[in-house]
Amino acid sequence: SPFSSRLRASLCDAWSADLVDRQIPMTAKIDPLKVLASDADIAGWQNEGLPADRVSTENASVLVSCSRWPLMIDPQQQGVRWIKQRIGEELVAIQVTM
């Protein structure tokens, strides 16, 4: 993922601070992953072959919450394997190499 866990945490901190500055009500110390996915969802994804690390789980939570397929940058092909297991082999993955 081009967004490391450190960058993701930094973005969440910045967004939270911005909400506070704008006096927009929000739950303190909210975890976006807990908003987008339940423990049962996460366990199901892991049973489908999703790696158990947090970044993969965050990516999956965004992927299943989108109304369209997002661009997946997946050099290790872990996400592609998981999504093919989840959706089926009819999914076409385009690989760009330079």
Side-chain angles (χ1 to χ4, degrees):
S1 170
F3 298 107
S4 67
S5 57
R6 182 179 299 164
L7 176 61
R8 291 174 188 223
S10 174
L11 288 171
C12 280
D13 291 343
W15 292 331
S16 294
D18 186 51
L19 292 174
V20 169
D21 289 346
R22 295 172 189 257
Q23 299 180 348
I24 298 172
M26 64 173 257
T27 303
K29 304 280 185 181
I30 193 160
D31 181 0
L33 181 57
K34 298 297 181 189
V35 173
L36 294 174
S38 69
D39 290 340
D41 293 329
I42 295 167
W45 300 335
Q46 290 172 356
N47 285 338
E48 294 170 346
L50 183 73
D53 63 282
R54 177 151 178 117
V55 171
S56 294
T57 305
E58 288 175 353
N59 289 343
S61 69
V62 170
L63 189 77
V64 300
S65 299
C66 291
S67 59
R68 294 178 177 237
W69 292 105
L71 172 66
M72 292 175 59
I73 300 171
D74 188 19
Q76 296 175 331
Q77 299 292 299
Q78 293 175 318
V80 170
R81 282 192 299 272
W82 170 70
I83 201 70
K84 281 189 173 185
Q85 174 71 24
R86 182 177 176 80
I87 303 299
E89 287 299 318
E90 67 271 4
L91 178 73
V92 177
I94 298 171
Q95 189 170 4
V96 178
T97 58
M98 294 183 173

